[in-house]
Amino acid sequence: VVTAQDGTSKQYTIAVTRLSNDATLSSLAVSVGTLSPVFDSRTMTYAVSVPNATTSIDVTPTLSDAAGATMTVNGLPATSGSPSSASLNVGSNMITIAVTAQDGTLKQYTTAVTRKSKDATLSSLTVSAGTLSPAFDSKTITYAVSVPNATTSIDVTPTTANAFATVTVNGL
């Protein structure tokens, strides 16, 4: 209160607002697959695998402080509790959710979505003795190798075209 010499007074009011520093999610859901590990607001990194036929995924992040915080999904503004769609390439795809609290505190949640490959081809096939017949071609699945009679074993070295594929030779 300010009072003038003649007795006139004026009251000034200041409203103090404490800005929230809550930049967390209360939940995170995906439309396909299962988050690993199970969602916990203190865990910032997740993974999920999806079938090859899955070309996009919806992520639904929910803000702990929906009234004050904001967020983006892969750089685009997002609404708490609403799905955001992301296209998927074969292999690893990163989805980043950036949460900004009222006071500017920033936290990032990342989810690595792996779209499985259906590529079951080889990029090369070599043998330690003899020569493949016909010459290697990724479209050919049957080969022959002629080796001298004294040869008791050969090493077969297959290389997958897709880094995530696995290969077995004679069940091993």
Side-chain angles (χ1 to χ4, degrees):
V1 176
V2 177
T3 305
Q5 285 180 322
D6 71 356
T8 304
S9 65
K10 226 178 226 187
Q11 181 174 341
Y12 289 83
T13 304
I14 298 175
V16 177
T17 303
R18 292 182 66 197
L19 298 177
S20 170
N21 65 353
D22 187 351
T24 62
L25 295 177
S26 61
S27 71
L28 176 60
V30 291
S31 60
V32 181
T34 303
L35 282 178
S36 178
V38 172
F39 178 77
D40 181 307
S41 63
R42 298 165 295 185
T43 302
M44 299 291 120
T45 305
Y46 297 90
V48 63
S49 290
V50 299
N52 177 266
T54 305
T55 58
S56 67
I57 191 168
D58 288 341
V59 294
T60 305
T62 302
L63 295 166
S64 295
D65 178 13
T70 61
M71 70 177 154
T72 61
V73 175
N74 286 346
L76 299 174
T79 302
S80 181
S82 296
S84 293
S85 187
S87 296
L88 300 175
N89 295 315
V90 171
S92 185
N93 300 266
M94 293 305 291
I95 297 176
T96 303
I97 301 165
V99 181
T100 305
Q102 280 180 317
D103 73 350
T105 300
L106 175 68
K107 288 189 179 175
Q108 287 201 97
Y109 293 83
T110 58
T111 303
V113 180
T114 301
R115 179 179 169 201
K116 296 177 183 176
S117 172
K118 65 178 183 176
D119 184 355
T121 61
L122 294 177
S123 61
S124 73
L125 179 63
T126 60
V127 291
S128 61
T131 304
L132 285 176
S133 177
F136 176 77
D137 181 319
S138 64
K139 295 179 188 96
T140 303
I141 61 169
T142 303
Y143 295 90
V145 177
S146 295
V147 296
N149 186 291
T151 304
T152 59
S153 69
I154 65 170
D155 292 326
V156 176
T157 307
T159 304
T160 60
N162 181 291
F164 299 105
T166 58
V167 64
T168 59
V169 177
N170 287 339
L172 303 174

